[in-house]
Amino acid sequence: MVLGGRARRSRVVVAAGSAVLIGFAGSVTATAAPVSEVGVPPGFAEQELRWRPCPSDLLDHALAGDGYAAARSAVLPGLDCARIRTPLDWAHPADGREATFWISRLPGTGSATTPLLTSTGGSGAGTLLDPHSFSGGMPKLRESFDLVGFDARGTSTSSTAQSCDPAVSGDPGLLGTGPREGYDILDFSAPSVARQLDDARRWTERCLAGAATTPDGASTAPYVTYWQTVRDLDLVRQLLRADKWSYLGVSQGTALGRELARTFPGHVDRWVLDSVVDPLRSPNAVLQERYRARQQAVETEFAPWAATRGTVLGDNADRVLASITKLRADLAARPVQLPGGQAFTANDLNPILFGVGNAANEAVLSKLLTIRAAVYGDSSPASVQAVVAMVSQFQLSPLIDRELGAVLSGAPRQGWWTAYNCNAAEWSHDTNAVLAEQQWAAEQAPLTYLGMGFSAVCAQWPFPGRADSQSEWGEVPGMLLITNELDAVTPAGGARALRDLVAGSRLVTVEGKAAHLVLPQRTPFGLPGGVPGTSSCATDIAVRYLMTGELPPKDQTCKTN
């Protein structure tokens, strides 16, 4: 029983039909499946992988109404794609309910290729484009591996697609900020709290309404978890006929990678995790810590740097911070009105400062000066020019980035991100506890706090949360863990914690670097989303380990580029 649901039924029929027709034409290669493993019903373990060039799926996606996925097909040359059938619920794999998702493959150039599963993290913890991204940044990988990418369950091309209304459910950077107009996120008065909780309720309702359903009308939202996804991926390993495989994941992809290794340690070969999400903290705790880390980065990294630039913000760190704090207060009192009825508010300033440590300091400073000129200006040409610059920076550029990001991901992924987060077990459903926690976070990080977001949304989530793997770490082979020393997005403590949990692991630290992500990535055709890499030393260590399987004899420290 394959899932249907909103806009899902037509896609399943079209895709399946195309596979049959192409099979008769002789252009599909089938991979024989291995013997069924325990827990995998034969109907899934014995399916054939029907590979075909990913760009050839453009028409199928277009006919199914998936414009973003169709557009993405055009930037996947050289990749093969296959659709996987998997149990909807791995807790009951033989109950007849099934789901589908897609994988991609970039064939290796060497003679002894094995699978290297890849995940660039972020929205969905993986996309079909990932093999191109990593091979573009580290071309030697293709000498030893077939690189594999995936669109996980819950993403738009899967039959369990989760679709939220982006106007209600947060920004494409997956920060869970929501619309946040008509109140100040730092204001915890009763009227402001009521507005924020109401926004969270609408967010939850819109996401649940957009979730694909089973044929009997049940929501698929409860099944979008890493507990389910790692079992989907291990099924892929079996279908690839690989007793062991390797993994290269960054940022959010490290959370998925560690769960995959922890759940199936006997199938782990070479594991590289770059910018590690802390394994000892819940998603909520990670987010709260991130607010504080970003606030500290603003205070100790950005403000001293900005003080040396000779701007009106001030000539020492304290004056810069005072100027930014006053700017926020004045925006709260008098937002900048932009075309189309949109207002740039104090709430919109916080994501810019939250970006310190991820975006270049020069870019953050430029935005702050533009906002300041618009807030304190008059009707002079310079003030008008500042407002025009705000339109470009905060309306047109984000729109372009959203659309390009949605194409590269196959569609917006707020739905996947919401379901994944809210299905985690650690969220409180006690509104008073949530408010106390959030008020404390706002007080600790007034310039980088992003609002109640998932804390309020997941408090209203109707499905019980589920923890990830319950397995111990003792059987997991040693990994290579990589971090920038001053990363404020995934602090280095996460990599150190995982190193201590997994015996034999090695940690590579890029000293003094405050950026997020270490290893380079390149997207095809010069499209956005690439990562320059922070250390050729760390990159060389990662590539050498993946090519040879030999971990460094001890932890390593690398210089930044």
Side-chain angles (χ1 to χ4, degrees):
M1 183 182 293
V2 179
L3 298 185
R6 301 170 66 89
R8 296 299 110 186
R9 294 185 177 91
S10 60
R11 174 180 295 111
V12 171
V13 172
V14 171
S18 298
V20 170
L21 291 175
I22 294 176
F24 279 119
S27 60
V28 170
T29 58
T31 303
V35 176
S36 173
E37 291 197 0
V38 175
V40 183
F44 297 107
E46 295 170 1
Q47 65 184 295
E48 294 182 341
L49 287 181
R50 295 183 174 273
W51 295 107
R52 66 179 187 176
C54 294
S56 68
D57 293 321
L58 188 155
L59 181 60
D60 281 356
H61 292 313
L63 291 175
D66 288 337
Y68 289 114
R72 182 181 58 173
S73 294
V75 299
L76 299 177
L79 293 178
D80 298 324
C81 283
R83 189 166 65 101
I84 306 294
R85 294 184 301 104
T86 186
L88 170 63
D89 183 5
W90 280 98
H92 304 93
D95 68 2
R97 297 181 301 167
E98 63 181 60
T100 61
F101 67 99
W102 288 83
I103 63 172
S104 62
R105 176 186 65 180
L106 181 64
T109 58
S111 57
T113 55
T114 57
L116 173 63
L117 185 63
T118 58
S119 171
T120 51
S123 52
T127 77
L128 299 183
L129 190 63
D130 289 349
H132 269 326
S133 298
F134 284 115
S135 66
M138 295 169 281
K140 287 183 67 67
L141 295 180
R142 290 190 68 188
E143 296 178 13
S144 294
F145 298 101
D146 290 334
L147 279 73
V148 178
F150 61 97
D151 277 350
R153 64 167 61 212
T155 57
S156 66
T157 57
S158 73
S159 64
T160 53
Q162 307 296 304
S163 177
C164 294
D165 180 353
V168 174
S169 57
D171 67 294
L174 302 180
L175 301 176
T177 56
R180 306 178 313 161
E181 290 191 5
Y183 53 82
D184 187 343
I185 56 175
L186 302 185
D187 178 9
F188 284 82
S189 66
S192 176
V193 166
R195 288 285 303 273
Q196 296 183 61
L197 291 177
D198 187 59
D199 274 354
R201 176 189 55 77
R202 292 189 299 115
W203 176 349
T204 304
E205 290 175 349
R206 298 289 181 88
C207 291
L208 292 173
T213 58
T214 63
D216 61 2
S219 176
T220 60
Y223 306 105
V224 179
T225 68
Y226 280 171
W227 190 91
Q228 302 281 357
T229 300
V230 296
R231 287 160 174 80
D232 292 342
L233 294 175
D234 193 65
L235 173 60
V236 171
R237 176 194 60 77
Q238 295 180 57
L239 297 176
L240 292 172
R241 304 196 69 177
D243 179 58
K244 292 186 177 183
W245 58 351
S246 298
Y247 185 87
L248 172 56
V250 306
S251 194
Q252 186 62 30
T254 67
L256 179 62
R258 74 176 186 238
E259 289 307 312
L260 182 60
R262 189 179 179 187
T263 307
F264 300 103
H267 300 299
V268 169
D269 190 5
R270 305 164 192 180
W271 236 244
V272 175
L273 304 182
D274 169 11
S275 304
V276 178
V277 175
D278 196 324
L280 301 179
R281 295 177 181 267
S282 69
N284 183 37
V286 166
L287 182 59
Q288 307 310 312
E289 174 60 26
R290 195 169 292 174
Y291 293 150
R292 294 188 291 274
R294 293 301 184 91
Q295 178 77 23
Q296 184 177 23
V298 171
E299 294 173 353
T300 62
E301 302 291 335
F302 177 76
W305 173 88
T308 68
R309 316 312 287 182
T311 73
V312 294
L313 292 180
D315 58 4
N316 64 53
D318 289 341
R319 288 174 181 165
V320 169
L321 289 171
S323 294
I324 295 173
T325 301
K326 183 178 185 301
L327 176 61
R328 193 190 188 286
D330 291 339
L331 273 169
R334 185 168 62 92
V336 176
Q337 297 299 319
L338 300 175
Q342 182 180 350
F344 188 93
T345 73
N347 296 335
D348 297 311
L349 184 65
N350 283 43
I352 294 171
L353 296 166
F354 185 89
V356 169
N358 201 22
N361 281 345
E362 290 81 1
V364 175
L365 180 61
S366 174
K367 290 180 179 179
L368 289 176
L369 294 175
T370 297
I371 296 164
R372 188 183 186 282
V375 169
Y376 301 129
D378 46 30
S379 58
S380 67
S383 298
V384 172
Q385 183 179 10
V387 174
V388 171
M390 288 193 69
V391 171
S392 173
Q393 288 186 337
F394 303 116
Q395 285 186 307
L396 296 180
S397 292
L399 176 63
I400 293 171
D401 290 344
R402 281 197 300 270
E403 293 304 301
L404 284 175
V407 167
L408 296 179
S409 294
R413 290 193 170 182
Q414 290 94 336
W416 172 87
W417 189 235
T418 299
Y420 162 73
N421 270 285
C422 290
N423 284 330
E426 297 87 352
W427 297 96
S428 173
H429 293 268
D430 181 340
T431 303
N432 290 331
V434 168
L435 292 177
E437 172 196 68
Q438 294 303 300
Q439 186 165 6
W440 184 82
E443 292 169 353
Q444 294 292 308
L447 296 177
T448 56
Y449 173 70
L450 299 179
M452 293 186 192
F454 284 117
S455 295
V457 170
C458 297
Q460 305 178 60
W461 194 249
F463 306 110
R466 178 163 195 169
D468 288 332
S469 173
Q470 299 300 303
S471 303
E472 298 298 329
W473 296 97
E475 296 183 10
V476 180
M479 305 173 175
L480 184 67
L481 311 173
I482 306 176
T483 184
N484 288 312
E485 184 178 20
L486 303 178
D487 184 352
V489 182
T490 51
R496 290 193 290 267
L498 188 57
R499 176 201 56 194
D500 294 342
L501 287 170
V502 181
S505 293
R506 298 290 182 266
L507 175 61
V508 179
T509 303
V510 182
E511 61 180 1
K513 190 64 179 178
H516 181 51
L517 303 183
V518 176
L519 300 177
Q521 301 169 35
R522 302 284 186 274
T523 51
F525 309 114
L527 291 170
V531 177
T534 63
S535 171
S536 56
C537 161
T539 299
D540 289 344
I541 291 173
V543 171
R544 188 181 311 118
Y545 163 61
L546 285 170
M547 300 282 286
T548 66
E550 297 179 6
L551 284 165
K554 60 181 181 179
D555 291 349
Q556 303 288 307
T557 300
C558 284
K559 301 288 186 182
T560 186
N561 289 340

